[in-house]
């Protein structure tokens, strides 16, 4: 009977295991690259590099919790970034850039939502298509050139989105505020509850009276808006726009979400996990660079961490799957290797696999 | 509201309902009425169209053709939805899954009609408290290691059914629709459901009851409607047939169908 009890007490604190992982990681890098990780400058720099990843991860947490995926956000970083850069440089109206960039992101998201909820294209396919479409459009209208926006720091637009309070970067306040907001939205708001039920099962969501199509359109529009905000902060921080500026975020933002423990099957999402996950992924990148690892290897490691995190959480969420996986593995690997790699256990597993096939 | 309740004859009236899923015609020109204080038993073979009919009634499905009257007033199917049905006092226990597996029971109890403030934020404490109360008093989950925070995934099939029924009991208004509510229940629990149905009648409300166990339906229903391959083939008042006669009637119906098919 005690087995049926859900997690209570310390184990129920959202994101606790992942916070432990973060602390362990910091300790590791302190040993591996003490000259960098024992100083405070690196941590301060995280406060400017984490926000774009975090804002994307927040939106993705909601999308993944709804059982969907969005692969088009790199194009929002490009498209909204372009709209902002164009207002600053070509029109000399930085203030106009903010609503225009947000509108651009919302448009991309809205179109995604309609394609997924109304037309009925699976989100992985729909957003892959729109990713290509909008990044193509951006390259086309920007002429493929990059914009240097060096003078933008005289504008209040820069002060609000990427300025400094002493040496504390303002964008981190945005990221922090939105983390709280998205947490409340997912865990305490009607909309968040609808997302969780949709992620659990579209059929159940319909039966209990949730307007699945409308909620999905809202969800993807919100994702577009958060992507646009990430684009605004990134572009203003870098004081530069180039039309491939979103591409590096595809892996990192999704990794942050899955490291954080949001379920790849939907129906459950951890905003605290994604918050910590964003730090972990940015720290791994920075830490590897600091220990002298080359860029392409960093990407390879991040890819492994991404898959490792998914596997880890899969094991926690559905322990049965791990046993299943082991059985399949035993089936695929040739007999000799099996007994070497798995010892006695594989031998015991062998008859059952034969029975089943 | 009370005036209106006294005034209407039927809780729900559906006329000329036709439902086609592609080439499959699940319902053909079905007329179905539920009186204000009537328990209607809906009978028919597997695939007869019972669940489809009640899903149309409760706003989950939109029919190909047909008219709907709630409390004797015409309602367009265009703006008929689960939400409207809830708002107009129709509560349903569906045959298939109607609970979010990974979600705690308190969310499952209130989803679709959460207790919120004006900005849509949920009063979690209140929902939890009421959910625990419903679990204890209406469903009778006592000391079974289940509380408002337990996710549905930890519950047995019968317990899930219990939660779905408890939800309907809690929100009970004008009409309760039960689609094979006892399918997963132990004998003692079945008795509870039947008593609940009789209680609906006593409280002056209406109920549509679907079950394959004829003795159960026969006991509680004021009127029986028999569906066969998407058509109403018989309507029987209380006492018009004994359980034995009813059984024979349904078997003959099945035989006749097999002859015409073969
Ligand atoms: N979503 C759907 N798409 C296609 N056909 C459907 C759908 N839902 C129901 N049907 C078909 O409509 C017919 C009636 O189904 P329905 O579920 O209403 O039967 P039922 O009387 O409730 O049966 P049971 O006693 O087995 O629950 C069946 O032939 C079924 O295959
Ligand atoms: Mg049915």
């Amino acid at each position: 009977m005690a087995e049926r009890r859900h997690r209570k007490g310390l184990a129920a604190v959202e994101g606790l295991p992942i916070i432990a992982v973060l602390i362990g990681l910091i300790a590791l890098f302190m040993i591996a690259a003490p000259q960098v990780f024992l100083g405070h400058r690196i941590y301060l720099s995280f406060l400017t590099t984490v926000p774009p990843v975090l804002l994307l991860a927040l939106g993705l947490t909601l999308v993944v919790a709804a059982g969907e995926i969005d692969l088009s956000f790199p194009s929002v970083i490009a498209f909204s970034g372009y709209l902002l850069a164009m207002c600053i440089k070509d029109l000399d109206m930085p203030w106009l850039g903010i609503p225009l960039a947000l509108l651009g992101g919302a448009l991309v998201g809205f179109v995604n939502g309609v394609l997924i909820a109304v037309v009925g294209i699976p989100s992985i396919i729909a957003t892959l298509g729109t990713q290509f479409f909008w990044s193509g459009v951006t390259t086309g209208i920007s002429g493929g050139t990059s914009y240097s926006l060096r003078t933008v720091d005289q504008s209040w637009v820069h002060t609000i989105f990427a300025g400094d309070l002493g040496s504390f970067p303002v964008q981190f306040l945005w990221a922090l505020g939105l983390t709280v907001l998205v947490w409340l939205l997912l865990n305490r708001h009607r909309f968040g509850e609808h997302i969780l039920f949709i992620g659990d099962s579209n059929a159940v969501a319909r039966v209990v009276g949730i307007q699945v199509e409308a909620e999905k359109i809202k969800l993807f529009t919100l994702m577009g808006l958060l992507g646009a905000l990430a684009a605004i902060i990134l572009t203003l921080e870098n004081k530069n726009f180039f039309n491939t500026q979103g591409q590096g975020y595809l892996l990192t933002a999704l990794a942050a979400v899955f490291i954080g423990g949001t379920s790849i099957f939907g129906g459950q999402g951890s905003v605290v996990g994604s918050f910590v996950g964003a730090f972990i992924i940015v720290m791994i990148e920075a830490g590897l660079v600091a220990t002298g690892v080359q860029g392409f290897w960093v990407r390879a490691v991040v890819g492994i961490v991404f898959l490792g995190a998914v596997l880890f959480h899969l094991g926690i969420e559905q322990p049965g799957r791990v046993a299943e996986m082991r059985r399949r593995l035993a089936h695929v690997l040739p007999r000799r290797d099996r007994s070497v790699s798995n010892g006695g256990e594989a031998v015991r597993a062998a008859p059952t696999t034969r029975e089943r096939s | 509201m009370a005036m209106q309740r006294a005034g209407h004859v039927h809780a729900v009236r559906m006329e000329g309902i036709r439902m086609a899923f592609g080439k499959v015609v699940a319902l053909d020109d079905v007329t179905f009425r539920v009186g204000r204080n009537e328990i209607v038993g809906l009978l028919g073979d597997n695939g007869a169209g019972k669940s489809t009919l009640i899903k149309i009634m409760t706003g989950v499905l939109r029919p190909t053709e047909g008219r709907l009257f709630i409390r004797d007033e015409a309602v367009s199917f265009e703006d008929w939805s689960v939400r409207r049905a809830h708002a107009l006092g129709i509560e349903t226990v569906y045959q298939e899954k109607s609970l979010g597996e990974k979600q705690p029971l308190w969310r499952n109890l209130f989803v679709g009609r959460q207790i919120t403030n004006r900005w849509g934020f949920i009063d979690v404490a209140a929902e939890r408290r009421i959910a625990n109360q419903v679990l204890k008093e209406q469903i009778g989950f006592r000391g079974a290691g289940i509380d408002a925070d337990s996710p549905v995934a930890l519950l047995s099939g019968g317990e899930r059914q219990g939660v779905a029924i408890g939800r309907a009991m809690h929100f009970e208004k004008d009409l309760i629709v039960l689609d094979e509510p006892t399918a997963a229940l132990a004998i003692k629990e079945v008795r509870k459901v039947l008593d609940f149905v009789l209680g609906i009648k006593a409280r002056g409300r209406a109920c549509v009851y679907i079950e394959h166990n004829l003795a159960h339906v026969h006991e509680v229903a004021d009127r029986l409607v028999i569906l066969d391959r998407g058509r109403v083939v018989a309507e029987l008042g209380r006492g018009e047939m004994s359980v034995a006669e009813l059984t024979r009637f349904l078997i003959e119906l099945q035989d006749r169908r097999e002859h015409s098919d073969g």
Side-chain angles (χ1 to χ4, degrees):
Chain A
M1 202 97 312
E3 291 289 346
R4 305 228 305 191
R5 300 234 116 210
H6 37 93
R7 290 183 299 163
K8 278 247 164 92
L10 211 57
V13 176
E14 191 183 336
L16 203 64
I18 205 67
I19 292 170
V21 170
L22 176 68
I23 292 169
L25 203 65
I26 294 174
L28 200 72
F29 280 127
M30 280 179 169
I31 296 164
Q35 71 288 2
V36 178
F37 277 84
L38 288 177
H40 72 280
R41 296 236 335 261
I42 181 92
Y43 300 102
L44 214 53
S45 85
F46 288 151
L47 301 186
T48 62
T49 48
V50 165
V53 179
L54 178 52
L55 289 172
L56 293 168
L58 289 175
L60 285 168
T61 306
L62 299 178
V63 169
V64 173
E68 303 284 348
I69 192 73
D70 188 348
L71 301 178
S72 74
F73 59 88
S75 75
V76 174
I77 299 279
F79 183 56
S80 289
Y82 166 73
L83 292 174
L84 175 63
M86 185 263 295
C87 287
I88 295 169
K89 188 96 170 186
D90 298 344
L91 306 181
D92 200 21
M93 289 191 278
W95 54 269
L96 183 65
I98 303 303
L100 211 59
L102 290 173
L103 214 63
L107 174 70
V108 177
F110 181 78
V111 170
N112 284 341
V114 169
L115 288 175
I116 292 155
V118 181
V119 183
I121 305 173
S123 55
I124 188 165
I125 305 297
T127 57
L128 188 62
T130 54
Q131 155 67 18
F132 285 118
F133 176 77
W134 292 107
S135 61
V137 165
T138 308
T139 309
I141 55 181
S142 69
T145 57
S146 59
Y147 283 59
S148 167
L149 311 169
R150 246 169 301 146
T151 53
V152 78
D153 51 6
Q154 279 138 36
S155 156
W156 57 265
V157 166
H158 180 271
T159 317
I160 287 177
F161 287 99
D164 289 311
L165 282 174
S167 59
F168 190 85
V170 171
Q171 57 261 51
F172 193 71
L173 290 181
W174 279 95
L176 216 54
L178 277 155
T179 303
V180 174
L181 217 65
V182 171
W183 188 92
L184 286 171
L185 195 65
L186 182 63
N187 297 292
R188 289 291 176 267
H189 198 272
R190 194 192 294 138
F191 178 62
E193 189 163 88
H194 290 176
I195 283 176
L196 292 171
F197 275 81
I198 289 171
D200 221 316
S201 155
N202 282 351
V204 168
R206 275 202 190 93
V207 156
V208 297
I210 294 169
Q211 294 183 303
V212 176
E213 288 72 27
E215 298 296 62
K216 279 191 186 173
I217 292 176
K218 268 194 242 169
L219 170 65
F220 278 93
T221 307
L222 179 63
M223 176 70 214
L225 276 170
L226 284 165
L229 197 59
I232 290 169
I233 285 173
L234 181 74
T235 308
L236 291 175
E237 173 63 32
N238 291 347
K239 293 176 209 146
N240 188 20
F241 163 80
F242 56 101
N243 55 47
T244 55
Q245 68 180 6
Q247 282 174 11
Y249 288 97
L250 183 61
L251 185 61
T252 46
L254 282 168
V257 174
F258 292 124
I259 289 171
T262 292
S263 169
I264 54 170
F265 303 109
Q268 178 272 336
S270 171
V271 174
V272 175
S274 295
F275 178 84
V276 179
F279 272 90
I280 289 180
I281 204 70
V282 168
M283 189 172 295
I284 288 176
E285 283 193 325
L288 289 176
V289 171
T291 47
V293 177
Q294 279 167 298
F296 44 89
W297 285 120
V298 173
R299 227 172 308 143
V301 171
V302 172
I304 292 286
V305 169
F306 178 106
L307 284 175
V310 168
L311 218 57
F312 174 76
H313 288 293
L314 206 61
I316 293 181
E317 207 182 331
Q318 306 191 338
R321 264 177 190 260
V322 179
E324 176 73 15
M325 187 177 65
R326 241 199 248 149
R327 204 154 353 108
R328 270 190 306 235
L329 224 52
H331 198 83
V332 170
L333 295 177
R335 181 169 276 273
R336 254 173 302 139
D337 296 1
R338 231 190 291 158
S339 48
V340 173
S341 59
N342 277 18
E345 201 175 347
V347 178
R348 250 185 292 120
T352 53
T353 40
R354 217 175 300 130
E355 277 161 33
R356 276 173 189 263
S357 55
Chain B
M1 204 68 160
M3 295 262 296
Q4 207 177 353
R5 169 162 293 162
H8 64 270
V9 178
H10 290 111
V12 173
R13 212 166 83 225
M14 298 163 84
E15 290 177 356
I17 301 292
R18 182 185 165 80
M19 182 77 198
F21 296 104
K23 278 185 187 154
V24 181
V25 179
L27 295 171
D28 191 9
D29 195 21
V30 169
T31 292
F32 185 69
R33 306 185 185 85
V34 185
R36 182 163 50 99
N37 184 203
E38 187 184 33
I39 298 184
V40 179
L42 188 53
L43 293 173
D45 219 341
N46 294 122
K50 305 180 296 293
S51 297
T52 306
L53 183 64
I54 63 127
K55 278 186 183 158
I56 291 169
M57 186 158 99
T58 58
V60 177
L61 293 174
R62 190 161 296 174
T64 319
E65 263 172 52
R67 292 172 305 282
L68 174 69
F69 302 84
I70 304 293
R71 295 178 192 150
D72 301 336
E73 279 174 37
V75 175
S76 159
F77 275 116
E78 287 300 308
D79 41 48
W80 188 237
S81 64
V82 174
R83 230 166 235 279
R84 283 280 319 270
H86 282 164
L88 288 179
I90 299 178
E91 211 33 68
T92 317
V93 176
Y94 294 97
Q95 181 179 11
E96 304 110 28
K97 289 194 296 176
S98 63
L99 301 172
E101 283 276 314
K102 297 180 188 173
Q103 314 311 324
L105 292 179
W106 64 268
R107 281 195 193 275
N108 270 292
L109 195 67
F110 286 98
V111 65
R113 45 205 146 164
Q114 297 90 340
I115 305 174
T116 62
N117 66 15
R118 81 182 95 159
W119 293 287
F121 284 99
I122 300 169
D123 186 344
V124 176
E127 288 198 358
R128 256 208 195 101
R129 195 186 60 244
I130 297 171
N132 269 322
Q133 219 170 307
V134 169
L135 287 179
K136 256 210 222 101
E137 285 157 25
Q138 251 140 1
I139 307 178
F141 283 168
R142 245 177 264 267
I146 299 172
D147 62 25
D149 287 298
S150 311
V152 171
L154 292 185
L155 271 55
S156 76
E159 287 168 335
R160 284 168 207 219
Q161 197 71 302
V163 171
I165 295 169
R167 180 165 67 184
M169 286 173 159
H170 177 71
F171 289 103
E172 176 185 302
K173 282 181 211 135
D174 286 8
L175 170 66
I176 294 203
V177 180
L178 299 161
D179 191 352
E180 303 197 28
T182 59
L185 299 183
I187 296 169
K188 209 177 73 199
E189 305 299 317
V190 172
R191 193 62 247 170
K192 271 197 219 162
V193 172
L194 294 176
D195 289 341
F196 165 58
V197 174
L198 293 170
I200 297 172
K201 171 83 178 174
R203 286 188 291 275
R205 292 165 174 154
C207 174
V208 175
Y209 189 76
I210 302 176
E211 228 214 80
H212 287 289
N213 184 323
L214 297 180
H216 291 163
V217 188
H218 193 268
E219 180 193 335
V220 298
D222 295 318
R223 190 161 53 89
L224 296 173
V225 175
I226 301 172
L227 270 183
D228 186 48
R229 286 175 292 175
R231 287 174 165 276
V232 177
V233 292
E235 291 199 41
L236 306 167
R238 187 185 273 284
E240 256 181 70
M241 273 192 197
S242 68
V243 177
E245 287 169 326
L246 190 59
T247 311
R248 215 172 311 124
F249 181 82
L250 287 172
I251 290 174
E252 272 168 22
L253 204 63
Q254 207 172 342
D255 286 349
R256 223 180 306 150
R257 180 171 53 217
E258 268 154 26
H259 280 293
S260 67
D261 283 353

